[in-house]
Every structure is written in C-alpha cells, then in structure tokens.
Amino acid sequence: MGMSTNKTVNRWTSWLTKNMLLLMTMAGIIMGAIIGGVLRNLEPSPDVVRYVGFPGELFMNMLKAMVLPLIAASIVSGLSQLDGKTSGRLGSRAVMYYAITTTHAVILGIIVVSIIHPGDPTIKQKMGIEEGATANESAAQKFLDLFRLVLSVGIGVAWKLIFLIRKSELCATLVQTHYVNHTTSNGVQQLVPKTGYVDGMNVLGIIVFCIVMGLVISKIGAEAKPLANLFHALDVVITRMVMIIMWLGPIGIPSLIAQKMLEVSDLWQTARMLGLFVFTVILGLAIQAFITLPLIYFIGTRHNPYTFLKGLGQAIMTALGTSSSAASLPVTFRCLNKLGIDPRVTKFVLPVGAMVNMDGTALYEATASIFIAQMNGLELSIGQIVTVSITATLASIGAASIPSAGLVTMLIVLTALGLPANDISLILAVDWFLDRLRTSVNVIGDALGCGFVHYICAEHLNADVAEAEKNHAVVEAHGVNFDELERECEQENNNQQKQNTVEHA
C-alpha cells in the first residue's frame, strides 16, 4: 500500500514540476481578473491604474528587448545548419512542402479573420489617428515601403544588432512614404510622395538579413563554422533567457490583465470579442490541420491522410500537454516509425520541420495581428495585409520552439504594422490555451511533411538517403539527437520482426 501511495505522490510531484509555469500563469490570469473586477467597482484614479499595470509594462519591455536577439539567433543558427539537410532531394522536397503549407496557413488565417471580423473598435476609443493623414498613403506606396525596408536599412541595422549597438540607434530606421504638398515652379500645388525615416523597428529588414546570412554561412561551410557556432550558442542562451522571462509571466500577466480591465469601458463586450477571437483561431487551426494539410498530403502521395493522423495521437497529446514542439520531437519520431515511415527519412526531414515549419504559429500571428488592427478601428490596406503575411511567415520561422515564443514573434508582426504592442495584453488571457493548439498543428504539419517526403521519394529512397548521409554527419535539432532516435527505432523494428517470426513459426 505504502509503495503505491509513494508512486502516486511521485507522479503528482513530477506532473506539478513539469506544469508549474502553466499552473502559475493560469492562477495569475484568474488573480488579475479578480483584482481588475474588485478595483473596477472602486473606480480608481488613472495613477492607480498605471501603478497596477507597471509590473506588466516591465514584463512587456523585457519581452520586447528579447525580440531582436531571439529572431536573429534563431534564424541564423537554424538556417546555417540547413545546408547538409536540404542539399539533396529529401531536403529540397521537405522545404517545398513546408513553404507551401506555411504560406497557406497565413493566407487561411487572414481570410478567416477577415470574414468573421472578431475585432470591435467600439470597445477601444479611437486611437489618435487623424483620418486625413492616413487616407493619403496609398496601398501601392505601403507595398513599396516594404521593399525599401527590406533592402535599405536592413543591413546597417543588422550589423548594429550583431555588434549590439544601442537600441536607440536601432529604432530610427523605418522607411515610410507619405504625400506632401509641393509647389512647382509654375506656382501649381500638387501632392508628391516623399520617403523618409520614421521611428520604429525595422523588423523585416533584420529578418531578411538574418535569413540571407544563415544561408550564406551554410553554403560557405567550414570557414564560416566559427560564426555558425557563435549564433548557435547565442540561440541557446537567448532561448534560456526567454524561458526565465516567461517565469515572470505569473507576475506580469495578472498586472496587464487587471490594467486592461480597468481601461476598457464595457467588460462584457470585451469578453464576447475575445471569445469570438478564440473561435476564429480555433476554426483556422482546425481547417489547417484537418482539411488543408491532409489535402496537400493526399495530392502529393495518394495515401489516406486520416489514418496517418490517427497514428499521430500520442505526439499530438504531448504537444497539447507541453506546448513545445521541441519536447514532442522524440514522440513524433516514434509515432512516424510505427506508421511505417522510414526512420532515415524522418531523421533528415523532422529537424528541418522543427526549425522552419510553424503552420499553427504563422496562422495565429496573422490572425491575431489583424484582430488587433480591427480592434483599433484600422482597415488594413492590401499593402499592409501583404506585410502581415510576409512578416508572419518569416517571424514564425524565427519562433524558437519554446512555449509562448509566439508571443514574442507576435510583437514583431505588430511592430511591422506600426500597431501598439500593449494590445497584446488582451490576448494574453487566452494565449496559454491557444499556444497549445497551435503547437499541435505545428507538430501535425511536421509529421505530415515526413510522410509526404517519404512517399514522394519512395522509388529512389536508398540513393536519396545515402546522399543525405554523405552531406550531413550529425543530425540534431533543439538538443534532440536524431541519430540515437533512429538507432532506437531500428532496434524496436528488429525486435518486432523477430516476435512476428516466432509467432508465425
């Protein structure tokens, strides 16, 4: 009796330690709601509201400070390791599949959020945007600003980033075109476009620079190895720092929620709007996971995707429980092995997926940023929607596979749109739940990618695997060694075969 009690106690303790952050965050959310509700009745002065929100403001500032290093380190270290993984047929097919699915996820997110339109501008009094000022900026100019951003200041900014020069210099580097009145020599007044720099972080430029840098490092190979190692180490350190900041969430999040509750005029309306937003995200993720991904898989392989999905149950449950795609990598590997996907394929395709394929995150970021724009009463132009889709795709590549990294990358998309980052505090109340769902979609996307590549390369599988083996010595992603996993799976398969032989005999 004593033994079983001890076992139960131990199981509970280990469960508690694993889920401590989640439990504390949820307790924090409830606490924030209670404090907000109590203080609302007391009608505090604006000063008190500001003090209530101060810990939350610090929490957000810390997250904002991590955005740049996290994105830079994650993208460069991920892509610099890609060369050996993507040079052969296996890798190129994997990249093709992941590019199609991520792009589709973003477009789907934008369509769903535009049709359902969960954001309600009446809740938030109009921000001080002068209607006249924005009306003049055409969609075409916004779209051109996108390219100016990517190609002009990106490089200067990125070097400042690498040598960690003051943030104040980093900020004043957004390119924006606006129209000004200009009197010609004939004395006629006309509107001419004028391009200048405005304050704001040039996120797109930095992301594009990091992508190019990562790819070039991987192409150069041995000579650039020290730089690759530097970024890899930076990635590990920054990820750990973000995790530490996340532990401050249970203090920062209730503060933000309480402050938000004191600021909004109609609480019930706000809750309804958040509910609609959650529904929008769930609908988008469900379409992606159960219609789009299986469809792309079916078109490519002519195999039934739903039997495949059924076999992924354990991996999906792990993703739901841990909300980290890195934690569910080994489980996904084993599920794929049971489904009959060659472990040698999984070994090369899954790490690529874990690094660059984040369908759920991309969809969520596009949806959430447009939701925040709707809430601020901004109707996005075509140019801005293109900006959202490009930034969400690139930012999802940079999202390290740690819980709530989506929050950090969310800041990137908002910054690119010039929307107030503080509005994230509304989404924080539901993020812990949506985070788990989008991680599950990420895992489903990664796994289906392995199946897709396995069946597409089936005819010349041995040659493709040999090619991949030759190019890449050790396969590893997020601290998971895939060579070891492959050996374990092969061992299991051999044992299974022996058992079957014995049974038949």
Side-chain angles (χ1 to χ4, degrees):
M1 185 69 191
M3 281 289 284
S4 66
T5 324
N6 283 351
K7 261 189 183 169
T8 319
V9 170
N10 288 346
R11 199 176 299 145
W12 271 104
T13 348
S14 78
W15 186 85
L16 273 173
T17 15
K18 273 185 195 153
N19 294 293
M20 193 50 136
L21 183 57
L22 171 70
L23 293 172
M24 283 167 70
T25 307
M26 286 172 71
I29 290 169
I30 296 164
M31 191 73 184
I34 294 170
I35 295 171
V38 170
L39 284 178
R40 253 182 101 87
N41 298 332
L42 301 175
E43 295 179 357
S45 67
D47 279 350
V48 174
V49 176
R50 233 188 338 255
Y51 292 138
V52 167
F54 184 64
E57 190 188 333
L58 291 183
F59 174 64
M60 287 302 287
N61 284 351
M62 279 193 255
L63 276 183
K64 283 184 205 164
M66 296 278 62
V67 166
L68 270 180
L70 179 75
I71 278 289
S74 174
I75 290 182
V76 176
S77 96
L79 293 180
S80 63
Q81 295 168 35
L82 276 189
D83 185 41
K85 294 178 192 165
T86 57
S87 50
R89 192 198 303 263
L90 283 183
S92 56
R93 294 292 184 279
V95 170
M96 177 186 80
Y97 168 84
Y98 292 142
I100 294 171
T101 54
T102 308
T103 316
H104 190 282
V106 171
I107 296 169
L108 178 68
I110 292 173
I111 293 170
V112 172
V113 76
S114 303
I115 292 173
I116 298 182
H117 208 291
D120 180 3
T122 53
I123 285 175
K124 217 177 153 188
Q125 276 67 37
K126 279 272 195 299
M127 296 156 53
I129 297 171
E130 295 156 25
E131 296 297 328
T134 47
N136 286 336
E137 295 170 17
S138 70
Q141 285 297 349
K142 280 274 178 225
F143 188 60
L144 293 177
D145 282 343
L146 192 76
F147 289 101
R148 292 194 186 96
L149 266 179
V150 166
L151 299 173
S152 59
V153 249
I155 292 166
V157 169
W159 282 117
K160 287 177 184 173
L161 163 79
I162 290 163
F163 295 112
L164 302 177
I165 295 175
R166 289 200 320 278
K167 186 173 182 293
S168 58
E169 289 184 16
L170 267 178
C171 281
T173 46
L174 263 179
V175 186
Q176 208 168 51
T177 307
H178 54 115
Y179 287 88
V180 289
N181 276 324
H182 176 69
T183 313
T184 59
S185 48
N186 317 340
V188 181
Q189 274 214 345
Q190 63 186 65
L191 283 176
V192 291
K194 181 173 188 292
T195 303
Y197 292 107
V198 291
D199 277 353
M201 188 159 55
N202 172 17
V203 180
L204 267 181
I206 293 165
I207 293 178
V208 170
F209 178 83
C210 291
I211 289 175
V212 174
M213 187 168 173
L215 292 174
V216 172
I217 289 176
S218 80
K219 270 279 163 278
I220 290 174
E223 277 178 275
K225 195 83 182 98
L227 194 54
N229 292 344
L230 167 76
F231 276 101
H232 183 63
L234 195 61
D235 187 31
V236 176
V237 172
I238 301 285
T239 307
R240 180 67 52 87
M241 283 169 78
V242 172
M243 279 310 293
I244 293 169
I245 293 173
M246 286 302 169
W247 277 98
L248 299 173
I251 303 164
I253 291 172
S255 146
L256 285 166
I257 288 175
Q259 183 187 22
K260 209 66 183 171
M261 282 179 71
L262 295 173
E263 281 175 355
V264 293
S265 45
D266 184 343
L267 257 189
W268 177 239
Q269 192 65 22
T270 310
R272 233 191 71 220
M273 180 174 79
L274 259 185
L276 197 54
F277 168 67
V278 172
F279 169 72
T280 309
V281 174
I282 292 176
L283 181 69
L285 290 174
I287 294 174
Q288 179 74 4
F290 301 117
I291 298 172
T292 314
L293 288 173
L295 193 64
I296 294 175
Y297 175 82
F298 176 73
I299 291 169
T301 64
R302 296 283 185 276
H303 281 74
N304 181 353
Y306 295 105
T307 47
F308 193 91
L309 278 177
K310 219 161 49 189
L312 290 176
Q314 202 187 349
I316 296 168
M317 292 315 291
T318 312
L320 276 173
T322 57
S323 109
S324 149
S325 4
S328 40
L329 277 177
V331 187
T332 314
F333 201 103
R334 292 207 166 79
C335 286
L336 286 169
N337 180 44
K338 287 201 182 103
L339 282 166
I341 303 299
D342 196 317
R344 298 171 305 174
V345 175
T346 318
K347 178 173 87 169
F348 289 107
V349 179
L350 204 57
V352 180
M355 286 189 182
V356 298
N357 180 50
M358 301 258 179
D359 294 352
T361 309
L363 185 139
Y364 174 78
E365 277 166 19
T367 313
S369 47
I370 293 181
F371 166 69
I372 287 177
Q374 290 172 352
M375 208 169 68
N376 285 312
L378 294 177
E379 283 307 319
L380 295 182
S381 64
I382 299 293
Q384 283 170 313
I385 287 179
V386 172
T387 308
V388 170
S389 46
I390 294 176
T391 321
T393 311
L394 298 180
S396 75
I397 292 174
S401 50
I402 48 173
S404 285
L407 260 188
V408 185
T409 42
M410 194 54 238
L411 288 169
I412 295 167
V413 185
L414 289 184
T415 317
L417 278 177
L419 286 169
N422 299 344
D423 282 346
I424 287 192
S425 50
L426 252 186
I427 295 178
L428 278 176
V430 289
D431 184 76
W432 61 273
F433 169 63
L434 295 175
D435 187 28
R436 294 175 140 53
L437 298 181
R438 61 177 187 253
T439 305
S440 309
V441 175
N442 291 344
V443 167
I444 292 174
D446 290 351
L448 280 168
C450 292
F452 181 85
V453 174
H454 172 88
Y455 288 118
I456 273 194
C457 298
E459 289 167 20
H460 20 70
L461 197 59
N462 288 336
D464 288 347
V465 169
E467 185 185 21
E469 294 273 4
K470 189 178 82 220
N471 287 331
H472 209 78
V474 181
V475 190
E476 182 195 58
H478 305 300
V480 179
N481 188 329
F482 284 85
D483 283 325
E484 280 174 24
L485 275 174
E486 182 198 13
R487 279 195 290 277
E488 283 171 28
C489 284
E490 276 174 0
Q491 191 68 44
E492 280 171 30
N493 294 349
N494 292 342
N495 294 347
Q496 191 66 41
Q497 275 170 348
K498 278 180 197 160
Q499 210 173 338
N500 293 350
T501 321
V502 171
E503 280 170 14
H504 286 304

